[in-house]
Amino acid sequence: MLKTFARAAGALVLTTALVQPAYAELSGTLRIMSDMSNPAPRAIIEGLAADFDAMHPDLTVEVDVVDREAWKSQIRNALTADAPDVINWYAANRMGPYVRAGLFEDISDMWDNGDLTGLDSVKGAMTMDGKQWGVPYTYYQWGIYYREDIFDELGLTEPATFEEEIANCQKILDSGRKCYTIGTKFLWTAGGWFDYLNMRTNGFDHHMALARGELSWTEDEGVRATFANWRKLIDMGAFIDDHQTYSWQEALPFFVKGEATAYLMGNFVVPHLREAGFTDDQIDFYQFPKIGDHPMGEDAPTDTFHIAANAKNKEAARAFLQYVTSPEVQTKINAADGLGQLPVNSNATVGDDEFLQQGFVMLSQNATGGIAQFFDRDFPAEMAKTGMEGLQEFMVFPDNLDDILERLEFTRQDVY
């Protein structure tokens, strides 16, 4: 019997014949704790739990949905005291503290024995110390979403190079608009700009070496080159004014009203744009342009499920992870009427949606440099916090760069 501790927003319907993991008779209670508290994700997790419950008559599935922001501070306690069996979290460095604390279960055997086929592209993001600590269930592309109707009005085309990006931006500014909207009040959006400018200026490998603490913020010439490219846009006046006072949602009206023509953002922005009344003829998307000849790295944050090391029903938890990563379930939950994101399983089907299709092509064919997770996931938490504070400050006070880099370097030497 399914029990939910947060009222259901709806249920995902999957016929039980679609997926039947190789775990024959599951019994007892499977406890899932999730931060999928927004309406669409919440419907997904509750639907997944309901379907898995129905597939196993002797198993009771309990779901506890907590606030997404609150979960960031609650997860450690939840994993320590009366731990659930399954939780959802994030890949790469964001899972590091819980791996190192012994709070996530090692499931390397599932990756090795064929239980988790079709997930090879993100195995690295689930790996620490040569072992795998969870499974991915969805990811999504980042890129530049823009007002196609305004581009048409100004005679602009999608830029392939940074020089073309700057030329487009100048024409946009000349028309009385800003090039980009952004809200940096909660810092992480500035991290997205740094990710792309650094991956394009210096390459994916340089960016990941910086994330691992192997490069100096003050002495590495590549880092300064990245900020120099960023400053070209800042000095042009490319970004909306007072962006440090807006959240990313509060920055959307500048795009909607045509006061800014583009937004560097994840694909989760698309439903908001459609809710604002835009059709796919008015908005479009392009890959962040090239700077130099580096292979194109991309941000594609990956959401994950993990088994708590202190879980009481690890057999059912393993069966649930196998279930949620199967091609059929991946196809269903990531469809345009579900999460509206990209399935991780290579054998799944991408939703019939313009932006999902573009994102799939970009990540599967044009992300030749590699897949990053995002600044606050690839960098350790303390480094990410200091880093994003500095990135926001740079966007407002670019003359402070030397002081900012000194603080980042001090934190690097303390953290790593």
Side-chain angles (χ1 to χ4, degrees):
M1 176 185 297
L2 172 71
K3 297 180 182 178
T4 58
F5 294 98
R7 297 283 296 180
L12 170 75
V13 178
L14 285 172
T15 59
T16 57
L18 277 178
V19 181
Q20 184 66 45
Y23 297 83
E25 296 297 331
L26 300 177
S27 60
T29 299
L30 175 67
R31 294 177 57 221
I32 301 171
M33 187 170 282
S34 170
D35 70 346
M36 297 166 69
S37 56
N38 291 333
R42 183 167 152 181
I44 293 297
I45 187 61
E46 291 173 343
L48 283 169
D51 290 332
F52 193 71
D53 182 274
M55 292 166 61
H56 301 284
D58 296 328
L59 181 70
T60 297
V61 181
E62 297 179 354
V63 183
D64 187 0
V65 179
V66 298
D67 177 76
R68 191 173 182 87
E69 289 301 314
W71 182 231
K72 295 175 182 178
S73 60
Q74 294 176 6
I75 178 174
R76 184 178 290 272
N77 287 339
L79 289 167
T80 303
D82 191 26
D85 300 299
V86 173
I87 65 134
N88 69 278
W89 192 238
Y90 311 108
N93 270 330
R94 288 292 293 278
M95 68 180 186
Y98 311 106
V99 171
R100 290 189 290 271
L103 297 174
F104 281 173
E105 180 83 354
D106 174 7
I107 61 163
S108 303
D109 58 314
M110 294 184 69
W111 286 85
D112 293 339
N113 65 17
D115 285 346
L116 302 170
T117 58
L119 307 178
D120 291 347
S121 65
V122 292
K123 184 176 182 179
M126 305 308 307
T127 301
M128 295 193 76
D129 301 325
K131 300 175 182 178
Q132 290 74 52
W133 303 92
V135 298
Y137 66 92
T138 187
Y139 70 165
Y140 57 89
Q141 81 270 17
W142 269 65
I144 297 180
Y145 294 82
Y146 70 98
R147 287 285 300 270
E148 187 175 9
D149 53 348
I150 295 177
F151 267 48
D152 290 343
E153 173 196 331
L154 299 177
L156 305 179
T157 57
E158 294 183 1
T161 68
F162 195 53
E163 290 78 10
E164 293 172 1
E165 180 80 24
I166 290 174
N168 277 0
C169 183
Q170 189 58 60
K171 292 180 181 178
I172 292 165
L173 292 169
D174 291 344
S175 76
R177 304 173 174 97
K178 292 291 188 179
C179 306
Y180 314 107
T181 191
I182 185 173
T184 62
K185 182 164 69 174
F186 297 118
L187 305 179
W188 56 269
T189 48
W193 272 95
F194 179 83
D195 284 353
Y196 274 100
L197 285 164
N198 196 47
M199 284 191 287
R200 295 295 185 266
T201 302
N202 300 302
F204 177 83
D205 291 342
H206 176 282
H207 186 68
M208 299 314 297
L210 189 65
R212 293 190 298 267
E214 297 169 4
L215 302 175
S216 168
W217 287 90
T218 53
E219 297 179 10
D220 185 83
E221 292 299 325
V223 170
R224 289 189 176 273
T226 293
F227 282 101
N229 282 327
W230 202 349
R231 181 149 190 175
K232 292 176 184 177
L233 298 174
I234 294 169
D235 287 348
M236 290 175 70
F239 299 95
I240 62 169
D241 297 330
D242 301 319
H243 52 77
Q244 72 274 16
T245 66
Y246 303 114
S247 69
W248 77 266
Q249 297 99 325
E250 290 167 342
L252 277 170
F254 294 93
F255 185 98
V256 172
K257 296 175 183 177
E259 296 170 5
T261 62
Y263 207 169
L264 176 63
M265 188 50 65
N267 196 60
F268 53 81
V269 75
V270 172
H272 296 272
L273 300 180
R274 288 174 173 156
E275 288 168 7
F278 288 112
T279 67
D280 289 356
D281 291 332
Q282 294 172 289
I283 54 175
D284 208 341
F285 164 89
Y286 60 87
Q287 188 173 20
F288 198 100
K290 288 180 70 71
I291 303 175
D293 295 323
H294 301 287
M296 305 279 264
E298 294 297 325
D299 272 339
T302 304
D303 293 347
T304 53
F305 280 109
H306 304 266
I307 299 174
N310 297 324
K312 296 180 176 65
N313 196 342
K314 293 183 180 181
E315 182 181 21
R318 285 169 171 258
F320 181 79
L321 264 57
Q322 185 179 356
Y323 167 75
V324 80
T325 54
S326 63
E328 298 88 351
V329 174
Q330 288 270 292
T331 297
K332 181 67 179 178
I333 67 175
N334 285 292
D337 59 353
L339 293 174
Q341 298 186 166
L342 295 172
V344 181
N345 193 307
S346 60
N347 300 313
T349 301
V350 180
D352 183 17
D353 174 90
E354 174 186 350
F355 296 99
L356 294 180
Q357 294 287 342
Q358 287 190 65
F360 177 76
V361 170
M362 183 181 75
L363 294 178
S364 62
Q365 299 180 23
N366 299 330
T368 52
I371 300 294
Q373 287 300 304
F374 200 75
F375 192 94
D376 64 352
R377 300 190 188 191
D378 286 323
F379 288 75
E382 187 179 347
M383 187 73 241
K385 179 179 183 296
T386 303
M388 291 188 298
E389 288 171 352
L391 299 178
Q392 184 216 49
E393 181 181 343
F394 174 75
M395 292 191 71
V396 181
F397 303 110
D399 288 341
N400 292 1
L401 179 61
D402 286 342
D403 289 341
I404 292 167
L405 293 179
E406 289 286 350
R407 293 200 301 272
L408 269 60
E409 179 59 17
F410 178 84
T411 301
R412 180 186 78 91
Q413 294 185 22
D414 184 56
V415 168
Y416 295 94

